[in-house]
Structure formats: structure tokens, C-alpha cells
Amino acid sequence: MAIKMDGLALAKKLKEQAREEAAQLRRRPGLAVIIVGDNPASRVYVNSKRKDCEECDYYSEEYALPETSSQQELLELIGELNRREDIDGILVQLPLPRGFCEEEVLLAIDPGKDVDCFHPYNVGKLTIGQPVFQPCTPGGVMELLKEYHIDPAGKRCVVLGRSNIVGKPMAMLLLHAHGTVTVCHSRTPDMKEIAATADILVSAVGQVGLVTGDMVKEGAVVIDVAMNRNAEGKLCGDVVVEEVEPKASYLTPVPGGVGPMTRAMLMLNTLTAAKNHLKYLK
Ligand code: NAP
């Protein structure tokens, strides 16, 4: 029976460490979160970020722009926050309402304040193995692996999903950790067979019931990144737990696995940004 990888407990520990480290700095790390429009899911995420900042004793600001605001107004706000000495991290909650150009918005954030690690500069640094920030969700997965003494080196790693937010940076981090990585996506014809070869299987697709028992090798580590709602409206991942749990050696629960780790990584990135800025600010 798979060991449950407790993301809640590890996230709590990492946030406590971040709080202790932040307390040693000359001033509190500062995070600005921008939300545009009133998407209820985005609102939940923004509230949880505020709570995390409180837990870590960071300074935080929230900007709620109406859906009717313009791209220019949003860019001007980002410009202002870029220039602020007390703000280390800027996060624009995605998705943005229709009509906004996300690409331009993400490019406008000072890469030194890009705590989500979405700016092409930071993606490039990550790709060449010199990351400034950790991509939050994949970085959280790597921390979970480390906590359970699972070393990807020499292992066969399969990532399901190739998004810029999860799949691609996940593959990159596993590769940097010396795993042999295969990425599957919607055009992969033999995904089941490939998945079944994995020592470490990461599913980041967003499809209830996708990862069945026959896709998991005996003893594999299975990381379920997805956050779906099942037919009863309950939060669940991609993995069919009752089929995979008896075969896997480790499995992340949903909720309580990767989700809390993503939030903790944002706090760690904000701390990194603050340390970097304080080096230059006299
Ligand atoms: P996304 O942008 O929709 O990407 C999904 C990926 O899955 C795409 O690469 C897509 O392939 C692939 N895919 C779709 N159907 C497939 C299939 N039948 N077989 C194989 N691959 C398939 O989603 P995302 O933003 O990466 O998020 C993925 C999941 O993770 C979602 O459930 C999301 O809620 C969750 N998530 C969780 C956290 C967390 O903190 N736990 C954070 C972020 C996201 P194509 O590229 O070919 O379309």
C-alpha cells in the first residue's frame, strides 16, 4: 500500500522556516497580488496567498481591479510595483478576463520580482540550470520527493501534461535532477504504455480517472498534481486512487499533496526575491 506523501505537513514546515529566515532580514519580504475581475476560484487562491503571507509574517498588498479595467491600467500598476522598494514579489492571478493579453502582462513584471517564475527570463534561467526562482508547483513536487528521500537520479520519470506552468518546468527539474524524462500529452498515442515504465510518474493533465492501475508500475512513485472536481463535486486528482494505491510505493493525496506545496514555494520564492533585493538596497 502506497505511503501518503503529506504535502500539508511539509508545507507547514517550509513556511515556518521561511518565517524564521524572514525575521532575520532588515525588513519584511513584501508580496503584491493583483486580481482582475471576480472569478471565484481566483478569489480563493488570492485569499489563501494572503493567509500564507500572514503565517510567514510577510508584508502583503492586494489589488483588485474590476473586469472593466484596461490592459494599460494593469500594466501601469505593475510598473508602479516594479519601482517600489518594499515590494519583492508581484503576482498576477491567472487566468485574466477575456481581452487581456497575459503574455504582455507577464513580460511587464520585473524578472527579479517574478515569484511565480513565469517570465521568459526566469524560464530561460531555469532551462539552463541557473534558476533564480523555483516554478512553484514543480518545485513543490521536488521538495516532496526530497522529503521522502526519493532521488530522481537514474530513474525513469514520466510527466503527463506539457503546460508552461506545470508539465514543462516539471520535466526540466526532473532532468536537472538526473532523471530520464519522457513527457506525454494529448497527442501521445501510447501514453498508457509509457506511463507504466515510470519509476516516478507525475500526472498534470486535469482529467478525472485518467491514471488507472494498469498505467502504474509496481512500486512506482506517483505524484498527482491535478485538481479536478468529480461528479459529486468533490476535489480529486487524475489518479484512480483505489487502483493505484495498492501498486505504488508513494502517492500524493488530493487534496493535501501538491496543492499546499505550491503555496509554500511561493513564500520561499518571495523570501529569495527579498534577499536578492536587500543585497542591492542600502
Ligand atoms: P493545462 O494547461 O490544461 O495542461 C494540461 C496538459 O494535459 C496539456 O499539456 C494537455 O496536452 C495534456 N492533456 C490533456 N488531455 C490529455 C490526455 N487525455 N492525455 C494526455 N495528456 C493530456 O493544465 P495545467 O495548468 O498544466 O494543470 C494541469 C492540472 O494540474 C489541472 O488539474 C490543474 O488544476 C492542476 N494544477 C494544480 C496545481 C497545484 O498546485 N496542485 C497547480 C497548477 C495546476 P496538450 O498540450 O497536447 O493540449
Side-chain angles (χ1 to χ4, degrees):
M1 199 57 124
I3 294 169
K4 184 176 104 173
M5 300 174 89
D6 191 345
L8 263 181
L10 179 57
K12 191 163 173 257
K13 191 165 94 179
L14 292 178
K15 282 192 277 183
E16 188 51 46
Q17 282 170 8
R19 182 191 168 94
E20 281 167 19
E21 270 194 62
Q24 309 298 318
L25 299 179
R26 245 184 307 133
R27 61 154 175 78
R28 297 197 289 168
L31 176 68
V33 178
I34 305 171
I35 177 170
V36 186
D38 51 8
N39 178 333
S42 294
R43 178 41 61 198
V44 171
Y45 290 131
V46 169
N47 289 344
S48 60
K49 280 159 192 160
R50 186 194 317 126
K51 204 171 139 259
D52 290 333
C53 283
E54 281 165 11
E55 271 179 51
C56 296
D57 198 24
Y58 290 0
Y59 172 70
S60 74
E61 280 183 0
E62 206 180 292
Y63 294 86
L65 303 187
E67 199 163 337
T68 50
S69 50
S70 66
Q71 174 91 359
Q72 193 50 36
E73 282 169 305
L74 177 54
L75 293 176
E76 277 166 20
L77 172 58
I78 292 171
E80 243 172 69
L81 293 167
N82 280 343
R83 291 186 289 275
R84 287 259 304 270
E85 288 198 351
D86 57 338
I87 293 296
D88 302 297
I90 303 169
L91 186 150
V92 178
Q93 188 62 51
L94 301 179
L96 288 168
R98 216 200 305 234
F100 284 86
C101 172
E102 281 186 4
E103 203 184 318
E104 189 185 27
V105 168
L106 296 180
L107 263 177
I109 297 173
D110 177 340
K113 300 192 177 191
D114 169 41
V115 285
D116 252 340
C117 196
F118 290 163
H119 192 287
Y121 173 83
N122 285 318
V123 176
K125 290 286 279 179
L126 174 72
T127 304
I128 60 172
Q130 297 169 1
V132 179
F133 299 115
Q134 290 295 317
C136 293
T137 301
V141 171
M142 298 307 284
E143 287 293 330
L144 263 176
L145 293 175
K146 196 161 88 186
E147 178 72 3
Y148 286 85
H149 308 290
I150 299 158
D151 183 359
K155 305 249 166 57
R156 191 165 284 276
C157 306
V158 175
V159 179
L160 310 181
R162 60 169 165 179
S163 72
N164 290 334
I165 295 176
V166 192
K168 280 183 204 155
M170 184 76 253
M172 203 52 74
L173 291 185
L174 289 166
L175 186 62
H176 289 317
H178 312 295
T180 301
V181 185
T182 306
V183 181
C184 300
H185 46 80
S186 66
R187 311 280 184 94
T188 306
D190 49 355
M191 184 178 75
K192 271 183 184 282
E193 290 75 13
I194 294 171
T197 66
D199 302 310
I200 299 175
L201 176 63
V202 181
S203 188
V205 170
Q207 209 175 95
V208 180
L210 180 82
V211 180
T212 46
D214 56 340
M215 290 170 66
V216 174
K217 187 167 83 173
E218 205 64 54
V221 174
V222 181
I223 307 286
D224 195 350
V225 175
M227 290 196 300
N228 310 309
R229 297 270 167 200
N230 66 13
E232 293 88 52
K234 242 182 82 189
L235 195 62
C236 67
D238 288 344
V239 169
V240 181
V241 176
E242 58 278 17
E243 291 182 20
V244 171
E245 215 175 19
K247 292 183 83 177
S249 55
Y250 292 88
L251 176 63
T252 55
V254 180
V258 178
M261 290 303 300
T262 300
R263 289 170 52 181
M265 294 309 288
L266 178 68
M267 295 297 106
L268 292 182
N269 281 345
T270 305
L271 178 66
T272 302
K275 285 182 185 167
N276 290 344
H277 292 146
L278 287 168
K279 266 191 227 159
Y280 297 109
L281 298 175
K282 291 278 173 262

